[in-house]
Amino acid sequence: AQSVTQPDDHITVSEGARLELKCNYSSSVSPYLFWYVQYPNQGLQLLLKYESGDNLISGIKGFEAELRRSEKSFHLRKIPAHWKDSAKYFCVLSDTVPGTAGEAEHKPPGTPQFSLCYV
């Protein structure tokens, strides 16, 4: 059985501060992990994905995530945060890797999400 949990459903971050969105997972096999973002009035966009190899993954827009197998975590980070990062963020776990075409369509319904706001 596989699952993803995101402890916070809404966080507030100050402009220029360190942003961290937590994602914990449970999987009996080596996981494929993804972070998606959905900006207001837009579709899902893939930020980054972990398939294998290096545990520190660099994504687009200055985001990165680190896979920590011992903690079963895949937290998303960005320094510094910007007000334009206000969006919904989705952590996704899969036991298979979707193809590069249409990756956003592979997000399972009901996946936990973050709503990120700034002050």
PDB file of all heavy atoms in Angstrom, residues 1 7 12 14 16 22 29 38 57 59 65 74 91 99 102 117:
ATOM      1  N   ALA A   1       0.840  -1.198   0.000  1.00  0.00           N
ATOM      2  CA  ALA A   1       0.000   0.000   0.000  1.00  0.00           C
ATOM      3  C   ALA A   1       0.875   1.247   0.000  1.00  0.00           C
ATOM      4  O   ALA A   1       1.932   1.268   0.618  1.00  0.00           O
ATOM      5  CB  ALA A   1      -0.915   0.009   1.210  1.00  0.00           C
ATOM      6  N   PRO A   7       1.292  17.331   6.240  1.00  0.00           N
ATOM      7  CA  PRO A   7       0.811  17.717   7.565  1.00  0.00           C
ATOM      8  C   PRO A   7       0.087  19.059   7.614  1.00  0.00           C
ATOM      9  O   PRO A   7      -0.789  19.245   8.446  1.00  0.00           O
ATOM     10  CB  PRO A   7       2.074  17.771   8.425  1.00  0.00           C
ATOM     11  CG  PRO A   7       3.173  17.199   7.622  1.00  0.00           C
ATOM     12  CD  PRO A   7       2.735  17.112   6.209  1.00  0.00           C
ATOM     13  N   THR A  12       1.579  30.088   5.774  1.00  0.00           N
ATOM     14  CA  THR A  12       1.828  31.488   5.451  1.00  0.00           C
ATOM     15  C   THR A  12       3.322  31.750   5.553  1.00  0.00           C
ATOM     16  O   THR A  12       3.952  31.374   6.537  1.00  0.00           O
ATOM     17  CB  THR A  12       1.070  32.415   6.426  1.00  0.00           C
ATOM     18  OG1 THR A  12      -0.330  32.107   6.365  1.00  0.00           O
ATOM     19  CG2 THR A  12       1.278  33.872   6.064  1.00  0.00           C
ATOM     20  N   SER A  14       6.531  34.648   4.803  1.00  0.00           N
ATOM     21  CA  SER A  14       6.891  36.043   4.545  1.00  0.00           C
ATOM     22  C   SER A  14       7.716  36.150   3.269  1.00  0.00           C
ATOM     23  O   SER A  14       8.490  35.249   2.934  1.00  0.00           O
ATOM     24  CB  SER A  14       7.695  36.614   5.713  1.00  0.00           C
ATOM     25  OG  SER A  14       6.927  36.612   6.893  1.00  0.00           O
ATOM     26  N   GLY A  16      10.547  36.677   0.884  1.00  0.00           N
ATOM     27  CA  GLY A  16      11.994  36.534   1.052  1.00  0.00           C
ATOM     28  C   GLY A  16      12.420  35.481   2.052  1.00  0.00           C
ATOM     29  O   GLY A  16      13.610  35.224   2.215  1.00  0.00           O
ATOM     30  N   LYS A  22       6.008  20.276   3.457  1.00  0.00           N
ATOM     31  CA  LYS A  22       6.347  18.918   3.880  1.00  0.00           C
ATOM     32  C   LYS A  22       5.494  17.873   3.173  1.00  0.00           C
ATOM     33  O   LYS A  22       4.300  18.066   2.963  1.00  0.00           O
ATOM     34  CB  LYS A  22       6.202  18.790   5.395  1.00  0.00           C
ATOM     35  CG  LYS A  22       7.199  19.641   6.142  1.00  0.00           C
ATOM     36  CD  LYS A  22       7.088  19.469   7.630  1.00  0.00           C
ATOM     37  CE  LYS A  22       8.135  20.348   8.330  1.00  0.00           C
ATOM     38  NZ  LYS A  22       8.041  20.216   9.786  1.00  0.00           N
ATOM     39  N   VAL A  29       7.766  -0.217  -2.026  1.00  0.00           N
ATOM     40  CA  VAL A  29       8.738  -0.302  -3.115  1.00  0.00           C
ATOM     41  C   VAL A  29       9.434   1.044  -3.262  1.00  0.00           C
ATOM     42  O   VAL A  29       9.033   2.032  -2.655  1.00  0.00           O
ATOM     43  CB  VAL A  29       8.056  -0.694  -4.451  1.00  0.00           C
ATOM     44  CG1 VAL A  29       7.443  -2.075  -4.342  1.00  0.00           C
ATOM     45  CG2 VAL A  29       7.017   0.336  -4.848  1.00  0.00           C
ATOM     46  N   GLN A  38      -0.261  24.459  -8.820  1.00  0.00           N
ATOM     47  CA  GLN A  38      -1.392  25.001  -9.566  1.00  0.00           C
ATOM     48  C   GLN A  38      -1.577  26.455  -9.159  1.00  0.00           C
ATOM     49  O   GLN A  38      -2.018  26.761  -8.050  1.00  0.00           O
ATOM     50  CB  GLN A  38      -2.669  24.209  -9.296  1.00  0.00           C
ATOM     51  CG  GLN A  38      -3.835  24.672 -10.154  1.00  0.00           C
ATOM     52  CD  GLN A  38      -5.064  23.789  -9.984  1.00  0.00           C
ATOM     53  OE1 GLN A  38      -5.273  23.186  -8.937  1.00  0.00           O
ATOM     54  NE2 GLN A  38      -5.878  23.712 -11.021  1.00  0.00           N
ATOM     55  N   ILE A  57      16.839  17.017  -5.660  1.00  0.00           N
ATOM     56  CA  ILE A  57      16.281  17.270  -6.985  1.00  0.00           C
ATOM     57  C   ILE A  57      16.053  18.763  -7.166  1.00  0.00           C
ATOM     58  O   ILE A  57      15.389  19.398  -6.345  1.00  0.00           O
ATOM     59  CB  ILE A  57      14.925  16.541  -7.165  1.00  0.00           C
ATOM     60  CG1 ILE A  57      15.032  15.074  -6.773  1.00  0.00           C
ATOM     61  CG2 ILE A  57      14.420  16.710  -8.589  1.00  0.00           C
ATOM     62  CD1 ILE A  57      16.018  14.269  -7.552  1.00  0.00           C
ATOM     63  N   GLY A  59      14.271  21.669  -9.364  1.00  0.00           N
ATOM     64  CA  GLY A  59      13.138  21.804 -10.262  1.00  0.00           C
ATOM     65  C   GLY A  59      13.108  23.170 -10.908  1.00  0.00           C
ATOM     66  O   GLY A  59      14.088  23.913 -10.875  1.00  0.00           O
ATOM     67  N   ALA A  65      13.721  19.675  -3.966  1.00  0.00           N
ATOM     68  CA  ALA A  65      13.178  18.736  -2.989  1.00  0.00           C
ATOM     69  C   ALA A  65      14.251  17.707  -2.684  1.00  0.00           C
ATOM     70  O   ALA A  65      15.084  17.384  -3.543  1.00  0.00           O
ATOM     71  CB  ALA A  65      11.920  18.057  -3.509  1.00  0.00           C
ATOM     72  N   PHE A  74       9.780  13.832   1.409  1.00  0.00           N
ATOM     73  CA  PHE A  74      10.159  14.466   0.146  1.00  0.00           C
ATOM     74  C   PHE A  74       9.687  15.917   0.201  1.00  0.00           C
ATOM     75  O   PHE A  74       8.756  16.325  -0.473  1.00  0.00           O
ATOM     76  CB  PHE A  74       9.514  13.719  -1.031  1.00  0.00           C
ATOM     77  CG  PHE A  74      10.034  14.106  -2.386  1.00  0.00           C
ATOM     78  CD1 PHE A  74      11.383  14.021  -2.693  1.00  0.00           C
ATOM     79  CD2 PHE A  74       9.161  14.536  -3.371  1.00  0.00           C
ATOM     80  CE1 PHE A  74      11.854  14.364  -3.966  1.00  0.00           C
ATOM     81  CE2 PHE A  74       9.616  14.874  -4.643  1.00  0.00           C
ATOM     82  CZ  PHE A  74      10.966  14.784  -4.937  1.00  0.00           C
ATOM     83  N   CYS A  91       1.822  16.990  -3.683  1.00  0.00           N
ATOM     84  CA  CYS A  91       2.843  15.955  -3.617  1.00  0.00           C
ATOM     85  C   CYS A  91       2.198  14.649  -4.070  1.00  0.00           C
ATOM     86  O   CYS A  91       1.126  14.278  -3.587  1.00  0.00           O
ATOM     87  CB  CYS A  91       3.363  15.818  -2.188  1.00  0.00           C
ATOM     88  SG  CYS A  91       4.700  14.621  -2.007  1.00  0.00           S
ATOM     89  N   GLY A  99       4.859   8.839 -18.575  1.00  0.00           N
ATOM     90  CA  GLY A  99       5.644   9.422 -19.651  1.00  0.00           C
ATOM     91  C   GLY A  99       5.703  10.925 -19.529  1.00  0.00           C
ATOM     92  O   GLY A  99       4.945  11.543 -18.785  1.00  0.00           O
ATOM     93  N   GLY A 102       1.851  14.687 -20.944  1.00  0.00           N
ATOM     94  CA  GLY A 102       0.624  14.608 -20.158  1.00  0.00           C
ATOM     95  C   GLY A 102       0.819  14.205 -18.717  1.00  0.00           C
ATOM     96  O   GLY A 102      -0.054  13.601 -18.122  1.00  0.00           O
ATOM     97  N   CYS A 117       0.117  30.979   1.153  1.00  0.00           N
ATOM     98  CA  CYS A 117      -0.184  32.408   1.162  1.00  0.00           C
ATOM     99  C   CYS A 117       1.014  33.178   1.733  1.00  0.00           C
ATOM    100  O   CYS A 117       1.837  32.631   2.422  1.00  0.00           O
ATOM    101  CB  CYS A 117      -1.416  32.713   2.008  1.00  0.00           C
ATOM    102  SG  CYS A 117      -2.892  31.900   1.433  1.00  0.00           S
TER     103      CYS A 117
END
